């Protein structure tokens, strides 16, 4: 477990270095580069503190509960990705006409409109829910069927 944690942390660190190199190469004025060590050091210290707090806080937690929670969360994320991918197929006119809206078949008509309270383009919480869980404020039957189909158990 220690080797796995170490290699994961090393990989993430190397990835951060690659991104920092990309950011540094975009600077036109080299004087900005001299200000980079301060945020890097602060990020290293804060990540160390967060890591210690996380490990100390989860010492007594049962691994089974953590894994079950993460598995269920990943299932919801995957179901949202599947539903969102079906929405993309609709926009590509693979499943009937998408545009103009008046010529859409019943499978591409909206089922309900929750954009007044739960707009997935302006409300930050629902923007996050759209990105993570595939929330649609104006879903179509095809998207709902896809979401429900994802939850069917395999034969």
């Amino acid at each position: 477990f220690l080797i796995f944690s170490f290699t994961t942390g090393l990989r993430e660190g190397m990835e951060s270095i690659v991104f920092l190199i990309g950011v540094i190469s975009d600077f036109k004025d080299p004087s900005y580069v001299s200000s980079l060590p301060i945020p890097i050091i602060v990020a290293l210290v804060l990540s160390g503190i967060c890591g210690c707090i996380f490990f100390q806080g989860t010492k007594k937690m049962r691994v089974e509960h953590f894994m079950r929670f993460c598995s269920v969360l990943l299932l919801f994320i995957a179901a949202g990705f599947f539903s969102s991918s079906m929405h993309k197929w609709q926009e590509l006119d693979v499943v009937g006409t998408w545009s103009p809206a008046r010529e859409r078949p019943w499978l591409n008509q909206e089922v309900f409109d929750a954009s007044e309270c739960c707009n997935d383009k302006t409300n930050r919480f629902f923007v996050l829910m759209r990105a993570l869980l595939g929330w649609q404020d104006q879903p179509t039957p095809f998207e709902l069927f896809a979401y429900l189909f994802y939850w069917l158990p395999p034969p």
Side-chain angles (χ1 to χ4, degrees):
F1 184 74
L2 179 64
I3 293 172
F4 177 71
S5 301
F6 178 74
T7 55
T8 302
L10 184 66
R11 186 196 71 203
E12 294 298 327
M14 298 298 267
E15 186 177 315
S16 298
I17 291 170
V18 168
F19 286 130
L20 279 174
I21 290 172
V23 168
I24 291 170
S25 65
D26 283 347
F27 286 147
K28 306 218 181 330
D29 185 10
S31 66
Y32 289 123
V33 176
S34 64
S35 66
L36 274 179
I38 294 172
I40 292 172
I41 292 169
V42 169
L44 287 172
V45 169
L46 287 177
S47 64
I49 291 170
C50 288
C52 287
I53 290 171
F54 177 77
F55 282 118
Q56 291 299 321
T58 57
K59 269 185 181 176
K60 296 178 183 172
M61 184 169 50
R62 296 184 54 144
V63 176
E64 300 90 35
H65 298 303
F66 177 74
M67 295 305 287
R68 188 169 291 131
F69 171 77
C70 289
S71 297
V72 170
L73 180 64
L74 284 174
L75 283 172
F76 276 102
I77 290 171
F81 279 161
F82 186 65
S83 176
S84 294
S85 67
M86 294 302 115
H87 178 77
K88 298 300 180 194
W89 282 110
Q90 287 176 304
E91 288 180 345
L92 292 172
D93 289 339
V94 173
V95 187
T97 306
W98 183 255
S99 183
R102 67 181 178 280
E103 295 179 13
R104 291 182 184 171
W106 71 272
L107 209 51
N108 291 343
Q109 297 288 333
E110 69 182 41
V111 176
F112 59 85
D113 186 2
S115 60
E116 290 293 323
C117 68
C118 312
N119 194 323
D120 63 352
K121 302 196 181 33
T122 58
N123 186 321
R124 289 184 181 181
F125 175 75
F126 287 103
V127 168
L128 179 66
M129 291 300 103
R130 180 180 180 129
L132 285 179
L133 304 175
W135 165 256
Q136 295 282 339
D137 59 358
Q138 298 172 336
T140 64
F142 190 63
E143 294 164 0
L144 289 177
F145 292 150
Y147 191 82
L148 294 174
F149 176 77
Y150 184 84
W151 290 104
L152 289 178

